[in-house]
Amino acid sequence: EADLDIIHVKENVGRNDAYTLIVSSDSGKEFIQERFAVKLEKTLGLIDNSDLAKRTAGDLYECGRDVAPNVLLKALGLGHTAEEIIGLITLRWRTEEEFPVTEAQCVEVFLSLDDLIHWFPSRGGLPGQNKQRADMLRLKIIPGDHGGSIEMLVCESKYRDSDNIDQAREQVENSMDLLQAAFCEDESGKPADRLIWFQELANAMSQ
């Protein structure tokens, strides 16, 4: 039997949401880890020891499955995906360092906004032209006497020097605008479709 490595599980797909999609690979893991090791040692020059590069690549793969499984799948192809995954993992570690969870019984969830592209309206109604969004949304779900609260932190990482800080700011602002419109009260009260957005959030957390 093949030793399959499960990378991503997506429930409620297909007709009547009756199926579960499981993405796995019997060779992708080794290939991706090798690419990571080469990137770390040869391309990026972050590590000058081959054995350490391989061990670090293994850690990146395992973390990548939790942080951004769909991005991890893209690492099988060409491009800057390895750098993107390193940036996302660093972002998560930095977030937990700068904004640690200190509340008792708090639930922490990280969502990849690239997996939630349908949340963001398309530009001019054109398919595939969705507004740019941040990389990740960190949720802190804090229980309380009256239902508790949800704290949202929008996160964006830029690994390559060529990336523009203005673009990162736009991505964060686009994401914050959508979340505020969907969940936050204003002078006119709660958004009319707020319950629908909470259901969307629950669905994203269940994946």
Side-chain angles (χ1 to χ4, degrees):
E1 296 182 358
D3 184 16
L4 295 179
D5 193 46
I6 295 177
I7 297 176
H8 185 48
V9 177
K10 182 176 179 61
E11 297 181 336
N12 304 321
V13 298
R15 178 175 290 183
N16 299 323
D17 297 336
Y19 301 94
T20 297
L21 174 67
I22 300 177
V23 180
S24 60
S25 174
D26 60 352
S27 60
K29 177 178 180 178
E30 181 178 353
F31 179 76
I32 293 173
Q33 287 180 336
E34 289 178 354
R35 290 201 65 194
F36 279 160
V38 172
K39 286 278 188 179
L40 292 169
E41 184 180 7
K42 306 295 184 182
T43 308
L44 303 176
L46 298 176
I47 298 176
D48 58 5
N49 181 283
S50 296
D51 291 336
L52 179 58
K54 291 177 181 178
R55 291 196 300 272
T56 304
D59 292 339
L60 285 173
Y61 177 87
E62 295 302 331
C63 291
R65 288 203 304 173
D66 294 331
V67 174
N70 286 340
V71 177
L72 186 68
L73 289 173
K74 296 177 186 177
L76 288 166
L78 301 176
H80 296 283
T81 308
E83 289 96 324
E84 184 178 355
I85 292 176
I86 294 172
L88 289 173
I89 293 172
T90 303
L91 180 151
R92 178 161 177 172
W93 286 342
R94 188 65 172 169
T95 298
E96 293 176 340
E97 182 179 59
E98 292 293 321
F99 306 97
V101 174
T102 57
E103 298 84 356
Q105 300 180 335
C106 175
V107 177
E108 182 184 41
V109 179
F110 285 85
L111 298 178
S112 171
L113 292 179
D114 280 340
D115 293 339
L116 302 171
I117 190 173
H118 61 283
W119 284 14
F120 297 85
S122 60
R123 297 175 176 175
L126 297 175
Q129 297 295 317
N130 299 70
K131 284 186 177 180
Q132 291 187 323
R133 60 215 161 272
D135 288 323
M136 199 167 295
L137 175 64
R138 198 279 293 272
L139 303 175
K140 283 171 55 177
I141 304 171
I142 307 169
D145 295 335
H146 302 285
S149 61
I150 300 177
E151 179 182 303
M152 299 182 176
L153 179 67
V154 176
C155 308
E156 169 66 18
S157 66
K158 291 297 182 188
Y159 186 89
R160 301 185 300 276
D161 292 338
S162 60
D163 283 319
N164 194 312
I165 190 64
D166 291 334
Q167 181 187 18
R169 185 178 293 109
E170 179 185 358
Q171 291 172 258
V172 170
E173 290 175 350
N174 286 343
S175 303
M176 291 178 60
D177 288 346
L178 180 137
L179 294 170
Q180 288 173 344
F183 297 103
C184 299
E185 296 186 38
D186 56 20
E187 303 81 33
S188 59
K190 299 177 181 179
D193 56 355
R194 194 183 192 199
L195 291 179
I196 297 176
W197 277 104
F198 274 118
Q199 184 61 56
E200 283 283 337
L201 192 64
N203 291 339
M205 292 169 57
S206 69
Q207 300 301 319

